[in-house]
Amino acid sequence: MDIHRFFPPHEGISLSDLSGLCGAELADPSQVDRKVTGIGSLSQAGEGEVTFAVSAKNLPDLAKCRAAAVFVTEKMAEHVPSDVAALIVAAPQSAFARAAAILVPDALKPLRFTSDIGISGAATIDPSARLEDGVVVEANAVIAAGVEIGAGSVIAAGAAIGPGTRIGRDCHIGHAATVQHALLGNNVVIHPGARIGQDGFGYVPGPRGLEKVPQIGRVIIQDHVEIGSGTTIDRGALDDTVIGEGTKIDNLVQIAHNVRIGRHCVIVAQVGIAGSATLGNGVMIGGAAGINGHVTIGDGAQIAALSGVAGDVPPGVRWGGQPARPMRGFLQDAAAANARAFGKKERKRGGED
């Protein structure tokens, strides 16, 4: 089976042109006219494909590589087989990403489910909605009253856009996603099944039990944000929930009401961020971490996967653990705990013998 059948090969680009576009140096100038048409992993790439290797761990696969070309550091270039073109660059994976964007551009964009051009006759659009020229609305999508959508945006099959929502230009709202009580900038991508702008989880104890608190805020999503499948972002209670420019959010993330996320953050799958937490710019949070409500995480901080953040985190630090603390202390504590556990096992074995 052809594993690349969903993304057809590129018509071909010479290594001379590709190296120039990716900031790499071709080790053997005699290979400038060799063409590449696709990408592949280091262990699987074959004829006409380009790949990359980043460290000594890749040397066994590099020795057996059969790709047309491979991005490597200068230090690793000597290990590239003679029949494979070495593209020398300081950051091979970054260069490979640029090459991939050139060779398989369709993989950068969410999947279209129909071939509709313009507005599908099977879509439901309120007469008061305002759509600029060039908007695509696929079959079974629903556009409610007062919605505004900018040119070049795609509303995929089955998506639902709530009343008064504004969506900028060149956005993509994925299949079966819902967007309501929200203002989106330009070049925003929301993957299938995401839920944006539903009410936050707000209750207070009352004489009859839990009283629901109306949530009247919005979700503000700035330019170039990408939101993964199944992710949920609650609208604010009184203030807004804000996702900053260039932030990338993985699948199955929960972002509660009034959370404010800065620019160019990375939030990996299954992270949960409780209400009114604030993340600075450039924050990175590993998978399945939990962020307590009302805490602040400073600019550039990194939170390890599976961590629990209970209090404020200073800028520029690396924290991990439960509760999260400076990484060095967390690793020392983990090593000490392992040593104690290992010692107990040894003593138990000694007593049994």
Side-chain angles (χ1 to χ4, degrees), residues 110 171-175 177-179 182-185 187-198 219-234 241-244 246-255 261 265 267-269:
C171 296
H172 187 105
I173 311 302
H175 169 66
T178 57
V179 183
L183 306 178
L184 278 61
N187 295 290
V188 172
V189 174
I190 296 177
H191 286 273
R195 303 287 180 245
I196 311 298
Q198 60 285 334
V219 176
I220 310 296
I221 299 176
Q222 296 178 357
D223 296 350
H224 304 291
V225 168
E226 187 159 352
I227 297 168
S229 297
T231 284
T232 57
I233 302 178
D234 297 341
T241 301
V242 179
I243 313 297
T247 285
K248 311 302 181 186
I249 300 171
D250 198 359
N251 304 330
L252 299 175
V253 171
Q254 157 63 10
I255 297 174
I261 296 174
C265 295
I267 301 172
V268 183

Side-chain angles (χ1 to χ4, degrees), residues 32 36 51 63 72 78 83 110 119 127 139-140 151 153 159 169 194 197 213 250 280-281 313 315 349:
V32 292
V36 292
T51 186
V72 290
E78 63 182 86
D83 57 341
I119 310 302
N140 300 318
S153 290
R169 293 177 174 143
V213 178
D250 198 359
N281 298 325
V313 178
R349 287 195 190 111

Side-chain angles (χ1 to χ4, degrees), residues 18 22 66 155 171 211 214 267 270 307 319 321 324 327:
L18 187 66
C22 298
R66 295 295 177 263
I155 311 301
C171 296
E211 301 282 354
I267 301 172
Q270 298 184 333
S307 297
W319 279 23
M327 187 62 73

Side-chain angles (χ1 to χ4, degrees), residues 123-125 137-138 140-144 155 158-162:
T124 300
I125 302 177
V137 182
E138 294 189 319
N140 300 318
V142 177
I143 311 294
I155 311 301
I161 312 300

Side-chain angles (χ1 to χ4, degrees), residues 27-273:
D28 183 355
S30 69
Q31 298 169 318
V32 292
D33 294 328
R34 180 180 294 185
K35 287 196 172 184
V36 292
T37 58
I39 60 174
S41 65
L42 185 61
S43 62
Q44 297 295 323
E47 182 180 354
E49 294 181 329
V50 64
T51 186
F52 71 99
V54 296
S55 70
K57 292 180 180 179
N58 300 134
L59 288 177
D61 284 333
L62 183 58
K64 297 179 289 185
C65 182
R66 295 295 177 263
V70 56
F71 288 103
V72 290
T73 61
E74 186 173 6
K75 184 177 180 180
M76 293 188 65
E78 63 182 86
H79 300 287
V80 177
S82 58
D83 57 341
V84 178
L87 297 167
I88 300 173
V89 65
Q93 191 168 11
S94 295
F96 175 78
R98 291 194 291 274
I102 295 166
L103 293 165
V104 282
D106 288 348
L108 293 176
K109 299 177 292 186
L111 178 67
R112 290 277 304 275
F113 279 78
T114 71
S115 59
D116 291 341
I117 298 174
I119 310 302
S120 169
T124 300
I125 302 177
D126 188 274
S128 65
R130 296 173 55 190
L131 280 59
E132 291 186 340
D133 293 341
V135 171
V136 173
V137 182
E138 294 189 319
N140 300 318
V142 177
I143 311 294
V147 169
E148 297 181 13
I149 304 175
S153 290
V154 175
I155 311 301
I161 312 300
T165 296
R166 295 181 184 176
I167 296 171
R169 293 177 174 143
D170 299 312
C171 296
H172 187 105
I173 311 302
H175 169 66
T178 57
V179 183
Q180 57 189 343
H181 304 96
L183 306 178
L184 278 61
N186 300 321
N187 295 290
V188 172
V189 174
I190 296 177
H191 286 273
R195 303 287 180 245
I196 311 298
Q198 60 285 334
D199 61 346
F201 193 69
Y203 295 88
V204 295
R208 295 175 297 178
L210 293 174
E211 301 282 354
K212 189 176 180 71
V213 178
Q215 310 283 291
I216 63 170
R218 306 170 297 181
V219 176
I220 310 296
I221 299 176
Q222 296 178 357
D223 296 350
H224 304 291
V225 168
E226 187 159 352
I227 297 168
S229 297
T231 284
T232 57
I233 302 178
D234 297 341
R235 68 178 182 265
L238 299 175
D239 299 323
D240 295 325
T241 301
V242 179
I243 313 297
E245 177 186 6
T247 285
K248 311 302 181 186
I249 300 171
D250 198 359
N251 304 330
L252 299 175
V253 171
Q254 157 63 10
I255 297 174
H257 57 188
N258 302 337
V259 169
R260 302 184 73 87
I261 296 174
R263 292 176 168 86
H264 305 294
C265 295
V266 175
I267 301 172
V268 183
Q270 298 184 333
V271 166
I273 304 178

